Amino acid sequence: MLDARGLDAHRLDPAKSDPHRLDAHRLGASLYVPAVHPKLASVFIGDIYPDVRSLIACTEDAIAERQLEAALAQLKDVLPMLPTRERGPLRFIRPRNVEVLHALLGLAGIE
């Protein structure tokens, strides 16, 4: 939809974008957050960083190998309590490897 200036209103206002369509304007600059962050749920809901458009919970280089089990446990607890993707920032998870990706795909709350 074009506004009076001929600009695409959806690109100017991420809230008007189709929640299932990704574009660079809606994505913004992603904030990486270690998946072991003590307030991961609040971060992912958008309470702590309300202006961030997209967040990535990192299970790769943002955490030590010894923290991986705790990170997966926390994601297992946090994911089901998140609002639908129409609310809050875009949320992604960066898997450490194929095995972690497989474990993530088995969690509730993964789309």
Side-chain angles (χ1 to χ4, degrees):
M1 172 168 66
L2 298 179
D3 69 5
R5 297 171 294 169
L7 299 173
D8 186 347
H10 297 289
R11 289 183 175 258
L12 297 176
D13 185 356
K16 294 179 183 176
S17 294
D18 175 351
H20 301 287
R21 181 176 170 260
L22 289 179
D23 65 38
H25 296 279
R26 183 158 185 255
L27 188 63
S30 298
L31 175 65
Y32 274 76
V33 179
V36 292
H37 190 288
K39 295 183 180 179
L40 185 65
S42 294
V43 171
F44 258 35
I45 290 170
D47 291 342
I48 294 182
Y49 304 111
D51 295 327
V52 170
R53 293 184 185 175
S54 61
L55 296 159
I56 301 171
C58 187
T59 67
E60 193 178 27
D61 53 0
I63 65 171
E65 181 73 34
R66 69 181 182 281
Q67 296 175 299
L68 184 57
E69 188 175 324
L72 292 173
Q74 178 156 266
L75 286 166
K76 180 180 179 181
D77 292 341
V78 167
L79 291 173
M81 61 193 284
L82 295 175
T84 62
R85 59 193 240 176
E86 287 81 16
R87 291 189 40 233
L90 296 171
R91 298 173 291 262
F92 303 94
I93 301 172
R94 182 179 183 190
R96 184 179 205 94
N97 53 39
V98 173
E99 292 80 19
V100 171
L101 175 61
H102 182 68
L104 291 168
L105 292 174
L107 298 180
I110 293 286
E111 294 181 18

